[in-house]
Amino acid sequence: MADFLEDLTRAPVPLDADGRADAAAELARLAGKIALDHFERAAVSWKADDSMVTDADLAVQGWLEEEIAAAFPDDGVLGEEGTDDRRRRLGARHVWVLDPVDGTNNFGRGIPGFAVSVGVLRDGMPVAGAVYDPVADQLFTAGAGSGAWLNGRRLCCEPAPLGGRSLFAIRAPFEGDVPPFVQSWLRRFRLRRFGSTALQLCYVATGALAFVHDHRASLWDIAGAASVLLEAGGALTAPDGAALFPVDPATYHGEPLPLLAGDPLAHAWSLRDVRDVRG
């Protein structure tokens, strides 16, 4: 813990007054080093829902829980891999939402395209977050009112018209037929799928991806990147335009949180596509 606090004082961009955003950034960076130590040699197993889990997921989440409990003992913690009941405190005003390895299907196969995601909700709203890709050494960070950053460079998600050069991301497979609006996008735009929802949302914040549609995202996929995207000026809603947040961590049990994210103009145009088909 002393090493963590010492590193935290050297954080290049102060993100908030209460320390949570700065802590999220440093925790994500240090946890990414733990994940990287397991990369290409991770022990893989499968959950009952047929999703992959590795020894790195468990090691990273356990370490994060311990550090958060020591630094912010009154805060709650919600992690993808389950959380020690002593640390859950899901009725607390501040709840940390952890995805120790977002992109496990890449990670467990030795493929880059994974990240550690650390998000903080206050009263169910995203107020701080960090997403770290240890292979690319890219640390995305944000704090409410303090902007979004990539390795110390401020991010600004500029509106851009959609066209033949636009990149977008979707999740596959779909249950049943591919929706008509997705078929339309596949004919008009360039598809990219990176395997990490958190990284894809951060790529929207950088302007690399125009928009992201995900019909089965989870809170731990979104929580760390939500602040980054929103502080960069991007839009993040349900696919029908409804608000995604607030989310009550005490009543959340892994249910899908479908989303549509994009720069302000791409989000509006892709939302129109969804609504035109549904309407």
Side-chain angles (χ1 to χ4, degrees):
M1 186 63 192
D3 292 340
F4 162 58
L5 292 175
E6 181 180 349
D7 284 338
L8 182 56
T9 64
R10 297 197 295 267
V13 180
L15 296 173
D16 66 332
D18 69 11
R20 288 182 177 86
D22 296 322
E26 192 62 11
L27 285 168
R29 185 181 68 82
L30 295 174
K33 297 183 182 301
I34 299 174
L36 200 57
D37 286 342
H38 291 257
F39 187 46
E40 296 181 327
R41 59 181 185 86
V44 171
S45 58
W46 296 86
K47 303 178 190 177
D49 64 358
D50 208 31
S51 60
M52 181 186 290
V53 64
T54 72
D55 55 344
D57 293 84
L58 303 175
V60 170
Q61 182 163 312
W63 181 83
L64 286 170
E65 287 183 9
E66 291 179 3
E67 296 296 330
I68 292 166
F72 302 95
D74 295 327
D75 290 4
V77 179
L78 178 65
E80 180 179 12
E81 305 309 329
T83 303
D84 187 325
D85 287 343
R86 295 171 300 172
R87 295 171 179 151
R88 285 175 64 85
R89 299 179 182 272
L90 299 184
R93 187 179 189 202
H94 291 93
V95 176
W96 297 68
V97 183
L98 311 175
D99 195 336
V101 180
D102 185 51
T104 303
N105 273 287
N106 285 347
F107 180 86
R109 293 174 168 88
I111 302 172
F114 62 89
V116 175
S117 175
V118 179
V120 183
L121 303 182
R122 182 169 64 217
D123 300 326
M125 299 293 293
V127 293
V131 176
Y132 181 52
D133 176 347
V135 175
D137 192 25
Q138 291 184 315
L139 177 62
F140 301 87
T141 58
S146 299
W149 306 81
L150 168 56
N151 292 348
R153 172 173 65 87
R154 186 151 195 166
L155 299 177
C156 183
C157 188
E158 298 286 352
L162 290 173
R165 297 178 180 177
S166 300
L167 305 183
F168 79 104
I170 55 174
R171 178 187 292 265
F174 284 90
E175 295 79 13
D177 295 335
V178 177
F181 58 84
V182 173
Q183 296 181 39
S184 171
W185 294 339
L186 290 169
R187 290 190 293 267
R188 294 154 56 201
F189 312 128
R190 302 187 184 196
L191 174 65
R192 295 293 184 272
R193 170 69 181 166
F194 297 94
S196 164
T197 302
L199 284 178
Q200 290 178 162
L201 295 179
C202 290
Y203 297 155
V204 173
T206 69
L209 285 178
F211 68 96
V212 173
H213 177 277
D214 193 324
H215 63 288
R216 291 195 61 82
S218 301
L219 181 58
W220 29 78
D221 297 335
I222 302 169
S227 291
V228 176
L229 176 57
L230 295 172
E231 284 292 316
L236 176 62
T237 67
D240 62 0
L244 269 183
F245 295 97
V247 174
D248 183 358
T251 61
Y252 182 75
H253 302 289
E255 302 87 355
L257 291 177
L259 66 84
L260 183 65
D263 72 58
L265 188 54
H267 179 272
W269 286 18
S270 55
L271 177 60
R272 181 187 61 195
D273 290 339
V274 175
R275 285 175 168 170
D276 284 350
V277 170
R278 291 183 172 183

